[in-house]
Amino acid sequence: MINESELILNADGSIYHLNLLPEDLASTVITVGDPDRVAKVSKHFDRIELKKGKREFITHTGYLGNKRLTVISTGIGTDNIDIVLNELDALANIDFANRTVKSTLSSLDIVRIGTSGAVQQDVEMGTILASAYGIGLDALMNYYQGSYDGEERALQAELAECFSALNLKPYVAKAGASLLDRIAFDLPKGVTLTAPGFYAPQGRTVRSTNTIPNFIDLIKSFQYKDQRFTNLEMETAGIYALANMFGHQALSINAILASRVDGRFSSAPEEVVDKAIQIVLERI
């Protein structure tokens, strides 16, 4: 049995942070960072059967045609992703009544729709880009024994050398192959760098003096075989690594709103995000 301090349930039997019961969750989950974006996704549903919320975690479950979907907000950063992915997995694979792992495990399809900044000149603002890989510069996966294949480990070794000045141990995780093929078959694909913050960890300088003043130039020039960094954000690598560890499929779809190369930001960010939402809902 999993004890009460490890698997915390609310008085109504729902899981602690997400405030969801197992039956509230669809097997296909869309994650968004912004709580306000949940309704921007679910407004396209034909029917909404559930709306729940607690803290920054807002959930709508409903139907698009005959397809049951859950859309949930994660908030910003891989610290929140740690909560969301663990609790989604618990909802799918833990028997709450007995506090035991189910004998038959379920695999969720998890699709992130998020915003991001491009670090290559040829990745234009307004692009909808799929992350083939997520590279984590945060510390989340130092606390887990993840499972990585040879390709992921080789790229991880190259990255450790690239970021040696920061004394970082980047982790590498692939997108779910079936989701990448189904949803992103004709989308540009790239390597997404997940940072543990928005300002200095992504090379921004407002009033700070950064450890690596040439951060964007450093990551823009990184090349390993045919792989290069395409964009920066704050959740993808954590989603991929935890999803792979738990046996779920995950895909990150990025609405490119900024060019970090020439310092520009989109004049119509909501239109770009809505385009990403439409693409995902049409193909999911």
Side-chain angles (χ1 to χ4, degrees), residues 26-249:
S27 60
T28 299
V29 181
I30 297 170
T31 72
V32 295
D34 183 356
D36 289 340
R37 198 175 296 147
V38 172
K40 293 176 183 178
V41 175
S42 69
K43 73 179 182 180
H44 298 285
F45 291 2
D46 296 302
R47 175 165 60 92
I48 298 173
E49 66 178 30
L50 169 83
K51 291 184 178 181
K52 283 189 174 181
K54 184 179 180 183
R55 304 186 188 185
E56 61 265 58
F57 308 115
I58 306 300
T59 302
H60 292 179
T61 294
Y63 286 85
L64 186 63
N66 294 322
K67 180 80 169 180
R68 190 170 186 246
L69 300 170
T70 291
V71 55
I72 185 168
S73 59
T74 63
I76 297 173
T78 54
D79 51 347
N80 279 5
I81 293 303
D82 180 61
I83 292 171
V84 173
L85 265 290
N86 271 279
E87 295 196 0
L88 288 177
D89 181 71
L91 287 162
N93 290 313
I94 302 295
D95 182 331
F96 282 13
N98 298 316
R99 292 184 168 274
T100 56
V101 178
K102 293 178 180 178
S103 57
T104 302
L105 298 179
S106 299
S107 178
L108 301 171
D109 284 346
I110 302 168
V111 181
R112 169 189 178 267
I113 303 174
T115 59
S116 190
V119 298
Q120 300 292 344
Q121 193 74 53
D122 60 336
V123 180
E124 299 178 357
M125 287 190 300
T127 298
I128 307 302
L129 181 142
S131 304
Y133 287 87
I135 311 297
L137 295 182
D138 59 293
L140 176 62
M141 294 309 293
N142 289 337
Y143 296 90
Y144 292 98
Q145 291 187 7
S147 177
Y148 305 102
D149 65 21
E151 193 173 350
E152 289 168 331
R153 291 185 183 279
L155 181 53
Q156 191 165 311
E158 292 291 324
L159 290 164
E161 184 175 341
C162 176
F163 292 107
S164 59
L166 283 175
N167 196 28
L168 293 175
K169 292 168 41 178
Y171 59 91
V172 179
K174 292 179 182 178
S178 66
L179 288 178
L180 194 66
D181 289 344
R182 187 168 89 240
I183 295 175
F185 59 90
D186 61 347
L187 298 179
K189 300 169 185 65
V191 178
T192 297
L193 192 65
T194 295
F198 186 77
Y199 288 95
Q202 292 190 36
R204 289 183 172 89
T205 301
V206 180
R207 276 189 6 98
S208 61
T209 301
N210 296 354
T211 303
I212 302 181
N214 61 336
F215 183 71
I216 297 300
D217 289 336
L218 172 69
I219 62 176
K220 186 175 85 167
S221 62
F222 175 82
Q223 187 85 27
Y224 174 68
K225 296 183 178 179
D226 60 345
Q227 304 293 346
R228 62 174 187 161
F229 294 130
T230 48
N231 59 306
L232 269 166
E233 50 74 78
M234 295 178 62
E235 291 89 35
T236 294
I239 293 173
Y240 281 10
L242 289 177
N244 292 343
M245 185 181 74
F246 286 131
H248 304 300
Q249 290 278 311

